[in-house]
Amino acid sequence: LAYLFRLLTGRLPKVAESDVLRRALQVQRRSFAGRRERARALLAIGERVPAEGLDPVEAAAWTMVASSVLNFDDVVRQR
């Protein structure tokens, strides 16, 4: 999570931001658990095919968290 945040914002997350991201990842994992087809549908969007053997639930959860980080003010200001 710290690497993702630093990659997109150019800085390490504050403790409160890390906590929010950790909770968001847990929520997304629970949201996609038991809904593998929903996770696969999310991963089917875009130009790239997910890597073979990738857990769709885990990848979908990380996709949603990355999408959230992309909406942080620090990311928008960098663009």
Side-chain angles (χ1 to χ4, degrees):
L1 286 169
Y3 176 75
L4 167 71
F5 191 91
R6 186 171 55 86
L7 186 67
L8 296 175
T9 66
R11 67 175 178 82
L12 289 173
K14 297 173 185 167
V15 173
E17 292 166 329
S18 289
D19 292 343
V20 168
L21 292 174
R22 198 172 307 108
R23 283 192 305 271
L25 184 57
Q26 291 170 347
V27 166
Q28 291 302 323
R29 283 175 173 151
R30 283 193 301 268
S31 174
F32 286 106
R35 298 180 177 124
R36 293 182 92 67
E37 287 307 313
R38 182 173 160 231
R40 285 188 187 97
L42 173 66
L43 298 175
I45 299 170
E47 296 180 15
R48 293 191 141 185
V49 177
E52 190 69 31
L54 191 65
D55 177 11
V57 169
E58 188 70 10
W62 278 94
T63 297
M64 296 305 293
V65 171
S67 178
S68 296
V69 175
L70 282 167
N71 285 303
F72 275 37
D73 286 343
D74 287 1
V75 174
V76 174
R77 278 193 286 253
Q78 280 191 338
R79 303 276 179 235

